[in-house]
Amino acid sequence: MEKLIFEYSRKGRKAHTLPVAPPVKFGLPARKSLCLPEVSEIDVARHYTGLSRQNYGIDSGFYPLGSCTMKYNPKINEQIAALADFTGAHPAENPRALLKILYDTERMLCQIFGYARFTLQPAAGAHGEFTGLLLIRAYHLDRGGVKRLKILVPDAAHGTNPASCALAGFQSVTIKSLSGGGVDLEDLKQHLDDNVAGLMLTNPNTLGLFEKNILEIAELVHQAGGLLYYDGANANATMGIARPADMGFDVCHLNLHKTFSAPHGGGGPGSGPVGVVEKLAPYLPRPVIDRRDDKYFLNDNLPKSIGKVHSFYGNVGVILKAYAYLKIQGSSGLKRASELAVLNANYIKARLQDAYDFPYPQVCQHEFVISAKNFKKQHGVTALDIAKRLMDYGYHPPTVYFPLIVSECLMIEPTETESKESLDAFCEALLKIAEEIKTAPELVKSAPHNAIVGRPDEVKAVKEPDLNYFQTG
Amino acid sequence: MAYFPHTETDIEAMLQTIGLKSIAELFAAVPEKLRSVKIPEFAPVSELELLAEIDEIRRAPENSEHSFLGAGRYDHYIPAIVPQLAGRSEFYTAYTPYQPEISQGTLTAIYEFQSMICALTGLDIANASLYDGATALAEAIGMAVSVTGRREYIVANPLHPNYREVLKTHLMPRSITEQKEITPRTAAVIFVLPDYHGLLSDWIEYLQKARMHGALFIACADPLLLSVIEPPQADIIAGEAQSLGLPQNFGGPALGYLTARKEFLRQMPGRIVGRTEDNRGGRPFVLTMQTREQHIRREKATSNICSNEALCALQAAIYMSYMGADGLQTVARLCKANTDYAKQKLGSLPGFSAEQGEHFRDFVLRCPSSAQEICNAAGAGMALDDRRLLLSVTEKNTPAQIDYLAGVLAKWKN
């Protein structure tokens, strides 16, 4: 294991080559002591290169993390986002090139998803959810709907959905799923009343199933005076196939760091644009980017705006990467991406059919779930054990224990950028693991064996928190 | 159209394994009514054409450059090593480190970031980052609300108007409101360091008032500045860390940070990395204290944040490691020396005057006529109102650049 940068530190060592600063006064008490590493440039280079080798990215191998859309991150995206006039642009400037790119990105997203406008301000998916919910809130308040404080959220939803509801001042109410997957229409009907502000839905849902009754659901919610919110985490299955706006969704957030090939960065930065139908456009966060003749400008004149959600205009550096992807794919490439993403998911599912349990056997969309319930009952092997064992075969594990409604759940999303050979090799690994579970369950239960660390003690991490080297290291 | 490794033969073989005849059959669950909608199209371009197109729009004459801008984003020097190491694809193409065994790189770097940002603020604990300075401050106030059970906050000194608006957007829905006076209903007192106009002032009076009324004291501070001054004895220090090795990026990505006293750990929003033990005597890092977070607590979570600015935090960790205390302090002092020089030089021009006090990077220049006209003509700074221009310098500005601006402004007066 690579040691910490602090352990390289030697008194008097330094890396920087800055000029000597003249004496200055700050008019406030001067800093008495500041303990940071004292290292040379080669220490920094070796240390962070060493750390990068202890990480697994898409460039390292297959990353079938369900609901995360870990597709290849094209290098041209990085090159364009790193152009000096883009990284060096100050938010108080009016750089025509950037404004045009932001404007064009918005137009392309509007076409693919069917919306009147998008705001590019939210910095991540959850930030987009929060923004979208505020738009719903503003819409109802503007029409005197002060009582509309309930948001309906299916039990299969991402955890961010109910958390975003709470932050936006809504109460989230859970709607049941049918045993075959999909929203329970009877349960939905019972919750629809004058207090409902809207319904949040992921489509395809987190089981990887397209919500067959979506048009009926939309009609019911709209009749009750509510709005529909589209959680775009799974948008990679729908591009060029069916548009959320046509499905009846009034608001929609996308994850540019999932569907549009911007990298996840080990947890961020992301970008969560929010699209709206015409009637919600007046409430968008300000400013929006408008065009008059050939001029692009930041328009702050939105009297009904919910206000800003970011210090400036969002994660522009991430949006640039999505722009490059949109341009290179074109609308036909986006459709192809969705088709092949769904093909890849169904191919893995078909190959594993006899070895694993599929609680939802029908054709899936871009992802699917496996339940390890029977493995646990018969051999004591859990979903987590299978995930850890996959590391020994050189793979990043799938999402585990989500959605919450599937017991011992493994959620697999291959994306369209993987070849048939890559999927075959992954299937071979999973088939071998299925054999191991029967013949050598202990091997699976104690995995990973080849990783640089063993399974961490997470209970100890919580009971004896060590969060700061200078206090505990 | 790109990034698809499938051959036609592959697709046929795969469909056969699945037991379907065509790709269209994969979408049988999508209602025909939706599938038949005609979706507007736009043509794909090659990488070559895309680069040419971008070159062309970048060369457009309207792309005027503007200088001496600050007010929340600063043009600091970024050592060559910083983007090169942060640009290693094992870092940037990884997901959130939910699987610690193969994510020790990201986890270790975030632990280092947490430790170093705490060293700067003098507080005990930090999270793994938030979206930006404004949302970090909103989260800090949210923490104060859950600690105190009160729903009011006050802002002691000038705060960037965009921040103020972001606070309102994020907090109003939960009926958390900004007030003018500190009272027993105040959850948090916010002190900005330096303030919107670059002014450095003493916070002690506000700290005492906050303590007297049982409110939390939150400093919204630039971490670079904290390398040279004693940090406030605050309960929470949060804000923007773009000054730690990140480019301006037209405002984003940036780096929201949040540090706090350890008794507020349970109220902290966002991811936190901790060190523990494994079953072979190793000491790995993991995401910890997750019962605060949305994927476990759902509507009762401390925040809805999931994706944060992890790669920016990694980049800041590389920057802080490279700079060390001496480097950060040198940068801060060079900024201050340039600010002092610019204030003296520009403030002594006939008709112009610089605002009194000690300033860090940003400062206000009073103008003899329309600040907006001067700003446009000089291509420098930002007009605050009719007569006030907000200018900013960093360690990258040379005396020659400042002298040049002085020459332009001197002519303006004449």
Side-chain angles (χ1 to χ4, degrees):
Chain A
M1 235 184 114
E2 173 62 24
K3 60 187 176 183
L4 288 164
I5 190 71
F6 310 114
E7 291 160 333
Y8 283 86
S9 189
R10 295 291 178 274
K11 198 160 175 47
R13 205 172 265 168
K14 70 166 195 168
H16 77 81
T17 59
L18 290 163
V20 176
V24 285
K25 278 192 324 219
F26 287 87
L28 289 168
R31 183 91 197 202
K32 287 199 229 33
S33 73
L34 174 62
C35 192
L36 286 177
E38 294 181 61
V39 294
S40 62
E41 178 159 335
I42 194 169
D43 294 331
V44 180
R46 293 243 168 95
H47 172 62
Y48 288 101
T49 302
L51 287 188
S52 75
R53 294 171 64 191
Q54 298 183 0
N55 238 28
Y56 188 100
I58 299 169
D59 284 2
S60 320
F62 185 43
Y63 221 117
L65 206 53
S67 268
C68 300
T69 314
M70 296 298 278
K71 62 172 74 178
Y72 176 64
N73 305 140
K75 302 303 169 195
I76 186 69
N77 299 359
E78 301 301 312
Q79 186 182 318
I80 288 170
L83 289 170
D85 2 351
F86 295 160
T87 59
H90 186 279
E93 288 176 303
N94 236 355
R96 184 180 185 276
L98 271 177
L99 292 181
K100 177 179 161 47
I101 286 173
L102 296 175
Y103 182 87
D104 288 350
T105 305
E106 182 187 341
R107 290 326 310 160
M108 287 187 278
L109 294 178
C110 284
Q111 288 179 28
I112 311 154
F113 294 93
Y115 290 99
R117 290 223 66 160
F118 265 89
T119 171
L120 305 178
Q121 232 180 83
H127 202 205
E129 288 177 15
F130 172 73
T131 305
L133 289 166
L134 289 187
L135 294 169
I136 291 175
R137 193 171 180 270
Y139 171 86
H140 288 308
L141 286 177
D142 209 16
R143 282 158 184 75
V146 286
K147 274 173 28 195
R148 293 196 178 268
L149 290 171
K150 262 191 342 193
I151 295 278
L152 310 179
V153 181
D155 51 12
H158 298 110
T160 48
N161 287 187
S164 299
C165 287
L167 286 188
F170 285 115
Q171 184 203 347
S172 62
V173 178
T174 308
I175 300 291
K176 280 186 230 146
S177 294
L178 293 166
S179 57
V183 173
D184 184 336
L185 285 180
E186 291 313 309
D187 194 41
L188 173 66
K189 279 180 198 160
Q190 287 187 6
H191 284 94
L192 287 172
D193 56 34
D194 291 352
N195 298 325
V196 168
L199 168 74
M200 284 182 105
L201 210 61
T202 311
N203 192 20
N205 63 22
T206 57
L207 302 168
L209 303 175
F210 192 90
E211 196 67 64
K212 269 193 275 197
N213 300 321
I214 183 59
L215 295 170
E216 201 178 342
I217 292 169
E219 203 182 329
L220 285 170
V221 174
H222 284 152
Q223 269 170 4
L227 296 177
L228 262 84
Y229 182 96
Y230 183 82
D231 176 338
N234 292 349
N236 206 43
T238 64
M239 293 184 294
I241 310 289
R243 302 190 301 179
D246 298 328
M247 296 175 205
F249 290 97
D250 306 283
V251 191
C252 146
H253 91 260
L254 301 170
N255 298 71
L256 298 187
H257 49 289
K258 295 181 179 178
T259 321
F260 296 94
S261 84
H264 284 62
S271 175
V274 172
V276 290
V277 295
E278 198 72 54
K279 65 183 175 190
L280 287 160
Y283 309 103
L284 285 175
R286 65 181 163 222
V288 292
I289 295 157
D290 280 337
R291 177 184 173 171
R292 197 176 296 128
D293 304 324
D294 206 24
K295 294 245 187 304
Y296 300 88
F297 60 102
L298 294 159
N299 182 3
D300 254 311
N301 185 20
L302 290 155
K304 290 188 170 181
S305 167
I306 57 164
K308 285 182 192 302
V309 296
H310 186 269
S311 310
F312 297 100
Y313 322 115
N315 282 343
V316 175
V318 179
I319 299 163
L320 282 165
K321 297 174 192 184
Y323 168 79
Y325 180 75
L326 284 161
K327 293 287 286 184
I328 285 188
Q329 290 298 36
S331 52
S332 53
L334 297 172
K335 181 175 185 187
R336 197 64 177 158
S338 286
E339 287 175 344
L340 296 177
V342 173
L343 178 73
N344 278 2
N346 280 285
Y347 180 68
I348 298 180
K349 192 162 160 274
R351 284 215 50 192
L352 300 177
Q353 207 62 250
D354 299 331
Y356 286 87
D357 288 334
F358 292 86
Y360 305 92
Q362 59 268 57
V363 169
C364 66
Q365 297 296 290
H366 67 303
E367 67 187 5
F368 59 87
V369 294
I370 286 175
S371 171
K373 193 171 68 181
N374 290 334
F375 284 139
K376 190 180 175 188
K377 210 186 300 170
Q378 289 159 21
H379 308 282
V381 172
T382 64
L384 187 70
D385 297 332
I386 297 171
K388 300 292 185 196
R389 184 63 181 149
L390 269 170
M391 293 180 194
D392 288 334
Y393 285 92
Y395 292 104
H396 192 284
T399 299
V400 286
Y401 300 107
F402 184 82
L404 308 174
I405 55 171
V406 178
S407 71
E408 294 300 322
C409 186
L410 288 146
M411 185 197 215
I412 296 177
E413 178 182 6
T415 84
E416 71 281 5
T417 56
E418 296 299 326
S419 67
K420 178 173 177 292
E421 295 94 295
S422 158
L423 305 180
D424 280 332
F426 176 70
C427 291
E428 291 304 329
L430 270 176
L431 292 172
K432 266 195 204 139
I433 293 171
E435 278 307 307
E436 290 171 357
I437 292 172
K438 289 169 196 151
T439 56
E442 287 310 316
L443 184 70
V444 182
K445 281 196 257 185
S446 53
H449 303 279
N450 305 337
I452 54 153
V453 294
R455 287 196 205 184
D457 184 344
E458 302 204 4
V459 176
K460 182 183 161 72
V462 173
K463 283 200 172 146
E464 300 160 40
D466 171 356
L467 315 172
N468 176 349
Y469 174 81
F470 297 108
Q471 295 202 341
T472 47
Chain B
M1 204 193 272
Y3 322 122
F4 308 128
H6 303 68
T7 64
E8 283 308 315
T9 323
D10 289 340
I11 293 173
E12 261 170 53
M14 291 166 80
L15 282 169
Q16 201 170 11
T17 306
I18 299 166
L20 294 178
K21 287 195 186 62
S22 70
I23 282 185
E25 287 178 11
L26 293 166
F27 297 97
V30 181
E32 175 55 33
K33 195 181 158 199
L34 291 172
R35 276 186 287 155
S36 60
V37 173
K38 177 97 183 84
I39 300 172
E41 292 180 356
F42 50 92
V45 298
S46 67
E47 205 171 290
L48 183 72
E49 291 163 306
L50 176 61
L51 286 174
E53 214 177 284
I54 287 179
D55 257 359
E56 199 184 309
I57 55 176
R58 280 163 69 209
R59 274 200 296 268
E62 296 91 335
N63 283 319
S64 65
E65 280 206 12
H66 214 71
S67 53
F68 297 100
L69 285 167
R73 292 295 180 270
Y74 301 93
D75 183 21
H76 285 291
Y77 164 66
I78 301 171
I81 194 170
V82 175
Q84 289 201 25
L85 288 174
R88 289 186 65 90
S89 76
E90 296 89 338
F91 286 134
Y92 79 76
T93 72
Y95 195 72
T96 303
Y98 288 128
Q99 297 291 341
E101 294 89 342
I102 50 173
S103 312
Q104 286 299 303
T106 297
L107 288 164
T108 310
I110 298 293
Y111 178 84
E112 291 174 350
F113 167 77
Q114 289 174 186
S115 304
M116 289 192 266
I117 198 86
C118 282
L120 280 167
T121 66
L123 286 165
D124 309 313
I125 50 171
N127 70 13
S129 73
L130 296 162
Y131 308 133
D132 66 355
T135 58
L137 189 55
E139 293 278 17
I141 296 169
M143 274 176 80
V145 167
S146 31
V147 169
T148 61
R150 307 172 182 178
R151 309 189 88 77
E152 295 178 1
Y153 62 95
I154 78 130
V155 182
N157 55 342
L159 173 67
H160 194 300
N162 289 7
Y163 275 49
R164 206 170 222 127
E165 184 169 328
V166 170
L167 293 184
K168 197 174 158 196
T169 314
H170 280 76
L171 300 169
M172 271 286 273
R174 284 180 283 159
S175 310
I176 303 166
T177 55
E178 184 181 342
Q179 303 292 335
K180 292 211 160 53
E181 298 293 323
I182 306 176
T183 72
R185 290 186 307 278
T186 309
V189 175
I190 293 147
F191 194 89
V192 194
L193 207 60
D195 76 13
Y196 177 45
H197 302 145
L199 185 68
L200 301 170
S201 47
D202 196 357
W203 54 83
I204 191 73
E205 174 198 340
Y206 290 97
L207 175 64
Q208 285 166 349
K209 271 195 202 161
R211 294 272 180 271
M212 206 164 71
H213 290 286
L216 296 199
F217 184 75
I218 300 174
C220 178
D222 186 297
L224 186 61
L225 175 69
L226 296 180
S227 72
V228 286
I229 64 163
E230 271 298 286
Q233 302 283 306
D235 298 296
I236 301 171
I237 301 185
E240 180 56 62
Q242 180 258 323
S243 56
L244 299 178
L246 297 166
Q248 303 180 98
N249 275 331
F250 200 45
L255 176 57
Y257 78 92
L258 194 155
T259 61
R261 285 156 49 150
K262 56 173 168 263
E263 54 263 47
F264 304 135
L265 179 56
R266 299 270 163 197
Q267 283 84 31
M268 282 270 270
R271 295 176 185 137
I272 298 173
V273 172
R275 193 171 204 177
T276 184
E277 284 170 6
D278 67 9
N279 50 6
R280 336 169 173 155
R283 295 189 64 202
F285 296 92
V286 289
L287 290 176
T288 190
M289 316 305 292
Q290 295 192 64
T291 51
R292 303 163 297 110
E293 290 185 71
Q294 47 77 25
H295 60 284
I296 313 271
R297 282 308 283 286
R298 298 176 79 87
E299 71 275 7
K300 292 192 181 66
T302 52
S303 167
N304 69 336
I305 191 165
C306 186
S307 286
N308 54 23
E309 309 286 299
L311 194 70
C312 304
L314 170 93
Q315 189 151 344
I318 298 170
Y319 176 83
M320 288 188 276
S321 300
Y322 173 89
M323 285 294 183
D326 180 68
L328 290 185
Q329 289 169 338
T330 303
V331 171
R333 287 182 188 126
L334 289 169
C335 287
K336 184 66 168 76
N338 284 343
T339 315
D340 292 348
Y341 180 73
K343 275 179 68 180
Q344 181 269 321
K345 186 85 188 178
L346 304 173
S348 60
L349 293 170
F352 290 89
S353 65
E355 210 160 76
Q356 295 292 304
E358 296 295 343
H359 288 75
F360 184 64
R361 291 183 306 215
D362 296 296
F363 63 96
V364 175
L365 188 68
R366 290 194 167 273
C367 304
S369 56
S370 164
Q372 190 60 60
E373 280 176 31
I374 293 173
C375 164
N376 295 345
M382 203 171 101
L384 288 175
D385 51 35
D386 185 42
R387 286 288 187 273
R388 293 189 305 160
L389 192 62
L390 187 66
L391 292 165
S392 184
V393 294
T394 67
E395 75 278 20
K396 281 175 78 174
N397 294 101
T398 59
Q401 289 171 348
I402 295 163
D403 292 346
Y404 180 81
L405 177 62
V408 174
L409 295 186
K411 265 184 235 145
W412 177 267
K413 177 63 180 146
N414 298 335

